[in-house]
Amino acid sequence: MASCIRWSGVLAALEATFLAEAIRRSVWAYPLLETVHIASIGGAVGSVLLLELARLRPGARDGVVAAGAARPGTALASFACAVASGSLLFVSAATEGAENPAFRAKLVLILIAGLNAVVFHARGGPARA
């Protein structure tokens, strides 16, 4: 029970920061951050999809898979943008977000996906593929 009280204090402090206030008060900040967040998620998923398609068809011509999007760096950059924009969205409504079960499930699924990627790379997955 005491840890819940401490977390609620931390979340309330996050919401009280200047940045969180600025995001909440701005007419454009929250919608712009949501747009960047959704586009970044789409970019990350799309680039991973293209990367997987490129690995499934190693003999495919260059025109089949867009070369720029089928690079791991593109997926990582898109994911980094999604994390940054998502963090800013979270700060603006931290207590509300932390109570949302769908948000908690989203974070657990992201953690599982990240652990999967770490295990895949640790086992030499890209070289074997």
Side-chain angles (χ1 to χ4, degrees), residues 9 11 20 41 47 71 84-86 92 96 117:
L11 296 174
I41 292 169
S47 60
R71 293 191 182 130
S85 59
S92 70
E96 187 179 325

Side-chain angles (χ1 to χ4, degrees), residues 87-115:
S87 297
L88 290 172
L89 289 169
F90 178 74
V91 165
S92 70
T95 53
E96 187 179 325
E99 293 172 357
N100 187 340
F103 178 73
R104 289 179 182 185
K106 176 183 174 179
L107 291 182
V108 168
L109 291 172
I110 291 169
L111 179 66
I112 291 169
L115 290 173

Side-chain angles (χ1 to χ4, degrees), residues 32-123:
L32 182 64
L33 284 170
E34 274 188 318
T35 302
V36 169
H37 189 62
I38 298 299
S40 298
I41 292 169
V45 171
S47 60
V48 167
L49 179 66
L50 288 175
L51 202 65
E52 294 301 320
L53 287 173
R55 292 191 194 280
L56 287 174
R57 300 187 64 201
R61 296 186 313 265
D62 290 339
V64 175
V65 178
R71 293 191 182 130
T74 306
L76 289 174
S78 295
F79 181 72
C81 281
V83 168
S85 59
S87 297
L88 290 172
L89 289 169
F90 178 74
V91 165
S92 70
T95 53
E96 187 179 325
E99 293 172 357
N100 187 340
F103 178 73
R104 289 179 182 185
K106 176 183 174 179
L107 291 182
V108 168
L109 291 172
I110 291 169
L111 179 66
I112 291 169
L115 290 173
N116 180 50
V118 167
V119 169
F120 177 73
H121 285 279
R123 294 178 61 201

Side-chain angles (χ1 to χ4, degrees), residues 10-21 24 90-97:
V10 169
L11 296 174
L14 276 175
E15 284 183 347
T17 62
F18 173 77
L19 183 61
E21 283 289 325
R24 277 195 304 275
F90 178 74
V91 165
S92 70
T95 53
E96 187 179 325

